[in-house]
Amino acid sequence: MMTLVAAALLLAPMQYSFDAGSKLSYDSKIEFEGFIPILGGNEGTVVVEMGVAVDGLKPTKDGTVRAANEITQFKVTFNEAVLPLDVTSVQTYFPRTTISLERNGKIVESDAPNIKLPVRLPGLDVKRFPDITYVPIQFPDREMKTGDTWMFKKKFGESDIDYTCTVGEKKEDAVIINVSIKQEYELLEDAALEVVTEEKNAEHRVKTVMSGSGIVLFDTKRGSVVKAEMVNDAVSDVTKLVDGSKSKRSLRTTFSLSLHVPKPRPVAVQSGSWLVNAWATVQDVSRSALQATLGWWTMAKLAFHARLAKKSLTGG
């Protein structure tokens, strides 16, 4: 009977929920390894670490979900050297932003500024900041079970990213979603590796193919992402316009996201009362459930990286 109940629970459509007044806090880390189009182009490693606050807002009259996100902490290093960029600096490009989204995760409106970053890095788009943090995937509006697959597209920059998602294992209210993506785009660069729109101002034509895979841990009860891990590989064919000579660039991008789980608040009542004992029991159960879920995530993450390493070795 328990098996039948668990299977039935998995059939319900998965949905995001950002209730008015709710607050979430995430740690986000993005690591770029390979050709970095800054300072004239360098092989190296850039690590971006951020704190991201998400506030649930009052929904629209038609019931559309709304949320606001803001970067609260920021640090960036280039080849282990800390760059002079702080929260205030990055908020010029990524200010506090309000989005409206369908419960399946499709973002229908955003007040993010329509500006471009000074450098082009695969998967980064000012308008798509929620998509690389707390709303990384969309769900189909249907019942699902383990092994079910669905596809969708999101536009990053001037081209689409194609997503393929598969329902993985389920443990209590948590479900692991396996994700793979692919994107292709072409652009023009000047001598400083900045993107230009006209060929007369360009020095290079760059065609990039990006593919990646990852896992997302989604809490079906709370309607939010708990953790996410994504590894993308971008390979660029570079053609020098003046003589047609060719070269290649490669860049690996690793996205990691983790939700802060608030600590239980103490209850100020008389010691030994039934309420204290009941609250202590709830705390113990909550901690045990959380530890079990996070331990399960750790195993899933290790398995994901093992698959990734095997793929790299076999070239598949």
Side-chain angles (χ1 to χ4, degrees):
M1 178 62 70
M2 291 301 292
T3 302
L4 292 175
V5 172
L9 289 174
L10 188 56
L11 294 174
M14 286 181 274
Q15 296 181 329
Y16 289 89
S17 178
F18 299 106
D19 295 333
S22 65
K23 293 184 179 295
L24 300 174
S25 180
Y26 288 95
D27 291 323
S28 176
K29 182 177 180 181
I30 310 173
E31 184 172 346
F32 303 93
E33 296 178 90
F35 182 86
I36 310 295
I38 60 175
L39 303 177
N42 291 268
E43 291 287 333
T45 301
V46 170
V47 179
V48 179
E49 297 174 274
M50 295 180 288
V52 181
V54 180
D55 297 331
L57 304 177
K58 184 178 179 180
T60 61
K61 291 182 179 179
D62 64 0
T64 302
V65 179
R66 297 172 64 243
N69 57 264
E70 184 174 8
I71 297 176
T72 57
Q73 297 177 3
F74 185 82
K75 178 183 176 183
V76 58
T77 60
F78 177 52
N79 289 342
E80 299 185 353
V82 179
L83 299 185
L85 294 171
D86 56 14
V87 172
T88 303
S89 302
V90 78
Q91 285 177 344
T92 302
Y93 296 98
F94 296 96
R96 180 178 171 86
T97 297
T98 298
I99 62 169
S100 298
L101 67 155
E102 297 174 4
R103 289 200 175 274
N104 68 356
K106 182 179 181 180
I107 298 174
V108 295
E109 188 176 356
S110 171
D111 66 0
N114 191 23
I115 57 177
K116 295 186 180 296
L117 294 170
V119 296
R120 175 70 179 262
L121 292 169
L124 284 189
D125 184 336
V126 172
K127 284 282 190 181
R128 288 298 190 182
F129 183 75
D131 303 76
I132 62 171
T133 49
Y134 63 100
V135 192
I137 56 175
Q138 294 176 19
F139 298 110
D141 297 317
R142 59 178 171 83
E143 297 177 335
M144 289 183 291
K145 61 183 182 299
T146 301
D148 281 358
T149 296
W150 71 98
M151 295 179 288
F152 61 92
K153 297 176 182 287
K154 288 186 182 183
K155 190 172 184 178
F156 277 69
E158 301 303 320
S159 62
D160 288 336
I161 291 183
D162 296 311
Y163 290 75
T164 301
C165 300
T166 303
V167 180
E169 295 180 65
K170 182 177 187 295
K171 187 180 182 71
E172 298 180 358
D173 296 320
V175 180
I176 285 182
I177 311 297
N178 297 296
V179 184
S180 63
I181 66 169
K182 187 168 184 180
Q183 181 187 34
E184 297 185 18
Y185 60 88
E186 188 173 298
L187 53 79
L188 297 168
E189 288 180 347
D190 63 15
L193 305 185
E194 294 183 353
V195 177
V196 295
T197 57
E198 298 184 24
E199 191 167 313
K200 66 180 181 180
N201 300 322
E203 184 163 314
H204 303 111
R205 184 183 303 278
V206 184
K207 183 176 181 179
T208 299
V209 176
M210 181 183 70
S211 60
S213 59
I215 50 177
V216 173
L217 181 64
F218 190 79
D219 187 325
T220 60
K221 184 176 181 180
R222 292 178 173 84
S224 58
V225 171
V226 178
K227 288 181 175 291
E229 184 90 1
M230 195 80 196
V231 179
N232 303 335
D233 288 299
V235 177
S236 300
D237 292 311
V238 183
T239 302
K240 196 169 184 177
L241 297 179
V242 67
D243 59 8
S245 59
K246 298 181 182 298
S247 60
K248 281 189 178 292
R249 303 172 185 167
S250 62
L251 180 65
R252 168 163 285 194
T253 308
T254 302
F255 296 87
S256 299
L257 184 77
S258 182
L259 175 68
H260 274 307
V261 179
K263 295 180 180 179
R265 291 176 296 178
V267 180
V269 293
Q270 184 178 355
S271 177
S273 73
W274 69 268
L275 184 56
V276 168
N277 294 331
W279 179 245
T281 301
V282 170
Q283 287 179 318
D284 290 339
V285 171
S286 298
R287 279 194 291 267
S288 298
L290 175 62
Q291 290 169 355
T293 300
L294 295 184
W296 178 56
W297 163 261
T298 300
M299 295 301 293
K301 183 176 175 179
L302 290 172
F304 162 65
H305 281 283
R307 293 196 303 271
L308 196 68
K310 183 178 180 180
K311 182 179 178 182
S312 299
L313 288 173
T314 59

